[in-house]
């Protein structure tokens, strides 16, 4: 099954512009790029009553990059925006989620964001990443060896989601026996976070998972306080050095769950989208097999073409003019990263997968102060996974029987199914 077979196409973007479609519509998630072009036809910057409960949309690469960097005009303190759209009675039932979620550092502006980011950065030093590279290489090779024995390959459950779990086990010590719960928790949070306007059920599911997550995580923290490990992010956070600051217990849980969520969901989607992109482009896949040094170029183009994060929301922090429009304090702004990464003013033939682009550019990890803290880890995982997979499974370089479908998460877009028959 190819979930894009009955999706929207570039041929009907003119009528889509007024069709009342939403980002969450299944066939839009499966192929959002013609829809983005229909939105772009209304203006690279425009107010849209239909999306995000009413928001300014930004679709140009340079505009999105500039505004992601502009922490004076655009505020990240937006965690209440979704909950505030609920009725009073519904909101009362999700106060625990609000309390826990509101501590994530992505929802803070400087100076608190700066302080939290500096503390969390200890776990992403060059030394820690190099240590992780060694363990990841061994783990990824073991997973590739398993796939080599199979004729029907499941690239989601059997590979893509197993790679970030290796990294998470190294970062924070998620035990392999607990991975099913962890996957469920992150899924519920991802659906809530990635929804354009989530309903009460999605928010309640996210709250239940966040509470379970905290209970599980508290036990790990207590263990690390008693027995810190070497080069383990959590150990670095619970045992401070001479001039280092410790996080409060609440902030420790919040930032660690943020990293766990981000490290799993987006990296899983990056790896699986990379596999699909190479299966769709067999000449490039053969190049990866023959010239492993080109794998970083492949990952850059996957990040551009199939960004795991499709949009970023901000709250307008002050009245200002942008692109000929007057933005007012308190309004919602949505930077459509998936659209910006395919801006025809920035990229020649933006819908084509080309690993020889120069310069290679994308906004999938954000920009400015909120640039993804784990971007180098995510890239490392994807490069190791794709390089070894296509370098060691020659059957993928032919024309294997391919089945895939996309999830229904417009914000954290990724594959729900990806398998091949060799």
């Amino acid at each position: 099954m190819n979930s894009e077979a009955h999706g929207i196409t570039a041929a009907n973007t003119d009528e889509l512009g007024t069709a009342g479609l939403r980002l969450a519509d299944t066939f839009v998630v499966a192929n959002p790029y013609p829809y983005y072009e229909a939105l772009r036809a209304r203006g690279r910057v425009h107010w849209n009553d239909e999306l995000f409960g009413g928001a300014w949309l930004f679709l140009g690469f340079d505009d999105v990059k500039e505004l992601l960097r502009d922490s004076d005009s655009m505020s990240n303190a937006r965690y209440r925006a979704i909950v505030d759209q609920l009725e009073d009675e519904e909101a009362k039932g999700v106060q625990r989620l609000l309390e826990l979620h509101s501590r994530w550092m992505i929802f803070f502006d400087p100076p608190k964001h700066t302080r939290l980011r500096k503390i969390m950065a200890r776990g992403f030093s060059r030394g820690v990443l190099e240590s992780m590279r060694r363990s990841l290489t061994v783990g990824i090779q073991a997973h590739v060896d398993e796939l080599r024995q199979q004729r029907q390959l499941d690239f989601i459950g059997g590979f893509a989601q197993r790679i970030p779990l290796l990294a998470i086990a190294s970062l924070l010590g998620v035990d392999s026996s607990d991975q099913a719960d962890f996957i469920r928790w992150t899924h519920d949070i991802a659906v809530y976070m990635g929804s354009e306007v989530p309903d009460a059920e999605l928010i309640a599911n996210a709250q239940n998972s966040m509470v379970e997550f905290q209970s599980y995580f508290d036990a790990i923290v207590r263990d690390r306080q008693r027995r810190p490990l070497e080069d383990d992010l959590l150990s670095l956070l619970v045992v401070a050095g001479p001039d280092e600051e410790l996080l409060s217990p609440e902030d420790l849980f919040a930032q660690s769950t943020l990293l766990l969520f981000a490290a799993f969901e987006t990296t899983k989607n990056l790896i699986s989208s990379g596999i699909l992109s190479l299966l769709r482009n067999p000449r490039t896949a053969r190049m990866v097999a023959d010239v492993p040094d080109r794998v970083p170029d492949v990952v850059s183009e996957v990040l551009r073409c199939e960004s795991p994060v499709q949009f970023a929301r901000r709250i307008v922090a002050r009245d200002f003019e942008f692109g000929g429009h007057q933005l007012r304090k308190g309004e919602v702004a949505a930077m459509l990263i998936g659209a910006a990464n395919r801006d025809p003013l920035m990229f020649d033939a933006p819908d084509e997968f080309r690993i020889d682009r120069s310069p290679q550019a994308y906004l999938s990890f954000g920009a400015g102060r909120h640039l993804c803290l784990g971007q180098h880890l995510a890239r490392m995982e994807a490069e190791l996974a794709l390089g070894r997979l296509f370098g060691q499974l020659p059957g993928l370089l032919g024309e294997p029987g391919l089945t895939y479908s996309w999830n229904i998460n417009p914000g954290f877009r990724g594959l729900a199914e990806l398998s091949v028959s060799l």
Side-chain angles (χ1 to χ4, degrees):
M1 180 181 75
N2 179 336
S3 69
E4 293 169 38
H6 302 291
I8 56 180
T9 65
N12 58 13
T13 52
D14 289 342
E15 58 190 83
L16 287 175
T18 56
L21 296 176
R22 303 186 70 86
L23 290 173
D25 289 340
T26 302
F27 55 92
V28 175
V29 177
N31 183 18
Y33 306 108
Y35 184 45
Y36 292 154
E37 288 309 303
L39 293 174
R40 201 191 308 272
R42 300 188 188 182
R44 295 165 64 83
V45 178
H46 68 271
W47 177 262
N48 192 299
D49 286 319
E50 303 161 15
L51 300 178
F52 304 101
W56 289 102
L57 301 187
F58 301 89
L59 299 103
F61 187 93
D62 289 339
D63 292 342
V64 170
K65 184 177 181 179
E66 179 179 344
L67 290 174
L68 287 174
R69 288 177 165 178
D70 187 354
S71 57
D72 292 329
S73 302
M74 292 291 177
S75 171
N76 251 42
R78 66 189 193 282
Y79 62 88
R80 288 204 61 97
I82 293 175
V83 178
D84 282 348
Q85 294 175 13
L86 299 174
E87 299 294 333
D88 289 343
E89 286 304 311
E90 293 176 322
K92 288 179 182 177
V94 294
Q95 289 304 305
R96 185 60 177 152
L97 174 66
L98 179 61
E99 176 187 341
L100 296 172
H101 201 194
S102 66
R103 292 180 177 273
W104 282 15
M105 68 179 178
I106 61 171
F107 297 130
F108 288 113
D109 296 323
K112 184 165 185 177
H113 172 266
T114 306
R115 180 182 69 83
L116 292 172
R117 185 181 176 94
K118 180 180 178 181
I119 296 171
M120 297 301 293
R122 297 173 196 162
F124 295 90
S125 68
R126 184 184 300 272
V128 171
L129 290 179
E130 282 307 308
S131 177
M132 291 186 66
R133 177 186 292 274
R134 293 189 290 272
S135 62
L136 281 170
T137 299
V138 172
I140 290 171
Q141 184 62 58
H143 293 326
V144 172
D145 289 342
E146 288 182 27
L147 292 177
R148 292 170 70 177
Q149 309 304 316
Q150 302 170 16
R151 301 289 293 174
Q152 182 73 29
L153 310 185
D154 170 15
F155 285 123
I156 304 297
F159 191 70
Q161 76 178 22
R162 299 175 75 179
I163 309 307
L165 287 173
L166 290 171
I168 288 165
S170 180
L171 276 173
L172 294 176
V174 174
D175 189 89
S176 58
S177 63
D178 302 320
Q179 290 179 359
D181 284 334
F182 175 76
I183 291 170
R184 174 172 58 85
W185 297 331
T186 55
H187 171 77
D188 288 345
I189 296 169
V191 172
Y192 156 66
M193 288 283 293
S195 297
E196 179 200 337
V197 182
D199 59 28
E201 181 180 359
L202 295 184
I203 296 175
N205 289 341
Q207 174 168 264
N208 292 338
S209 287
M210 188 79 88
V211 170
E212 289 181 32
F213 209 159
Q214 182 175 29
S215 178
Y216 170 86
F217 191 76
D218 284 346
I220 299 178
V221 170
R222 289 193 296 271
D223 182 68
R224 288 298 186 279
Q225 288 171 332
R226 293 192 301 267
R227 298 178 300 165
L229 304 177
E230 186 177 356
D231 284 344
D232 166 84
L233 173 59
L234 196 52
S235 298
L236 294 172
L237 295 177
V238 300
V239 181
D243 298 311
E244 294 176 334
E245 181 181 359
L246 279 176
L247 291 170
S248 68
E250 295 82 5
D251 281 336
L252 176 61
F253 168 73
Q255 308 328 315
S256 297
T257 52
L258 166 61
L259 287 179
L260 282 168
F261 159 72
F264 177 75
E265 190 68 23
T266 56
T267 306
K268 176 196 70 174
N269 292 343
L270 171 59
I271 292 170
S272 56
S273 294
I275 295 170
L276 179 60
S277 296
L278 288 174
L279 291 173
R280 285 168 158 176
N281 295 272
R283 289 182 61 185
T284 304
R286 292 188 183 93
M287 184 184 298
V288 168
D290 295 337
V291 188
D293 289 348
R294 297 306 303 272
V295 176
D297 298 331
V298 170
V299 173
S300 292
E301 186 66 348
V302 174
L303 283 163
R304 187 194 70 82
C305 275
E306 303 289 2
S307 177
V309 179
Q310 287 285 304
F311 55 76
R313 282 173 284 203
R314 299 287 189 269
I315 300 298
V316 178
R318 61 180 180 86
D319 292 356
F320 73 106
E321 185 176 313
F322 190 93
H325 300 275
Q326 185 65 41
L327 280 65
R328 301 294 183 187
K329 182 178 180 179
E331 292 175 330
V332 176
M335 275 64 82
L336 299 185
I337 291 170
N341 281 349
R342 296 196 183 202
D343 183 352
L345 296 184
M346 178 69 180
F347 303 102
D348 180 45
D351 293 327
E352 294 182 12
F353 188 83
R354 297 180 180 177
I355 67 170
D356 58 352
R357 292 186 183 275
S358 181
Q360 292 175 331
Y362 53 82
L363 295 169
S364 306
F365 290 125
R369 291 189 174 96
H370 287 276
L371 184 68
C372 176
L373 193 58
Q375 61 169 317
H376 299 301
L377 174 59
R379 282 199 60 115
M380 180 172 70
E381 292 175 64
E383 290 170 13
L384 289 171
L386 296 179
R388 289 183 176 266
L389 189 66
F390 284 87
Q392 298 183 25
L393 272 71
L396 297 178
L397 305 180
E399 295 186 5
L402 174 63
T403 300
Y404 69 94
S405 63
W406 295 92
N407 64 20
I408 54 172
N409 190 330
F412 295 101
R413 181 172 176 264
L415 288 153
E417 178 188 16
L418 176 61
S419 62
V420 300
S421 300
L422 297 181

